[in-house]
Amino acid sequence: MTATANEFDASTLTSRFSDPQQLVPELGDAAAALFKIAGNGAVPRGTVALVHLRAGQLVGNTYLTMLHTGNLRRAGVPEEKITAVASWVDAPYFTAAERVALELVEAVLTPNPHGERVPDALYARAAEHYDPTALATLAMVIGQVNFFIPLALIGRPLPGVSPAEQWRAAAAE
């Protein structure tokens, strides 16, 4: 039986890239800078991870969704909260600051046919919860996950496989 676009055959799933950092050595410096920004303490690490998970969901990438779900689990985030990220708008598990961060990542990644992606009202709500440094950091957190989205979509890393193991498996082929 031949797999169609709507069928999934895990036995034939492979990464398209070998280690991107080996292919483009400058990637390591850029990624390290982005991780340093995301971890500067201006935005809680849990919020960073929630934003990253929502971005993976929004672009429909299983690798990113599983990676960031695992990160949240390892950080001790309750399963109910992790599961509710996809439907955060009506879920009772998020703080007001987390909600506005999730709203921002959705605004950035989702086209708005009726106006600005990040209107003044959304920015004002975000500014109620984040100081200027935290807001700039949050923008960079969204940028950080956006930096990796093309690698995830084009390179098609294997869901559930750590980045270190991911590229070892592809390089061995």
Side-chain angles (χ1 to χ4, degrees):
M1 175 177 182
T2 304
T4 66
N6 293 327
E7 295 175 359
F8 178 76
D9 182 0
S11 68
T12 62
L13 189 62
T14 60
S15 266
R16 291 178 176 147
F17 289 152
S18 58
D19 184 348
Q21 193 167 333
Q22 293 292 323
L23 297 170
V24 183
E26 300 83 0
L27 174 62
D29 291 336
L34 290 169
F35 279 102
K36 186 175 179 181
I37 291 167
N40 72 9
V43 176
R45 285 185 130 354
T47 302
V48 170
L50 291 170
V51 165
H52 286 172
L53 172 56
R54 188 64 187 131
Q57 293 170 339
L58 288 168
V59 300
N61 186 265
T62 302
Y63 173 76
L64 290 173
T65 300
M66 290 183 67
L67 174 70
H68 297 300
T69 296
N71 290 344
L72 285 161
R73 283 185 179 132
R74 283 187 292 284
V77 174
E79 198 64 32
E80 295 84 6
K81 188 172 191 172
I82 296 168
T83 302
V85 169
S87 59
W88 66 269
V89 172
D90 66 353
Y93 307 109
F94 304 97
T95 66
E98 290 169 337
R99 287 179 180 287
V100 79
L102 291 167
E103 189 175 356
L104 277 171
V105 72
E106 286 194 8
V108 170
L109 291 178
T110 307
N112 181 352
H114 306 293
E116 286 185 87
R117 287 189 187 202
V118 182
D120 290 342
L122 173 53
Y123 182 84
R125 282 195 308 282
E128 291 174 11
H129 299 282
Y130 298 99
D131 67 27
T133 299
L135 266 173
T137 299
L138 188 54
M140 292 295 93
V141 164
I142 295 168
Q144 176 191 27
V145 75
N146 280 320
F147 179 81
F148 290 104
I149 286 172
L151 286 173
L153 295 175
I154 298 167
R156 197 177 60 196
L158 302 174
V161 178
S162 74
E165 292 300 315
Q166 182 77 234
W167 311 123
R168 256 187 237 137
E173 293 176 358

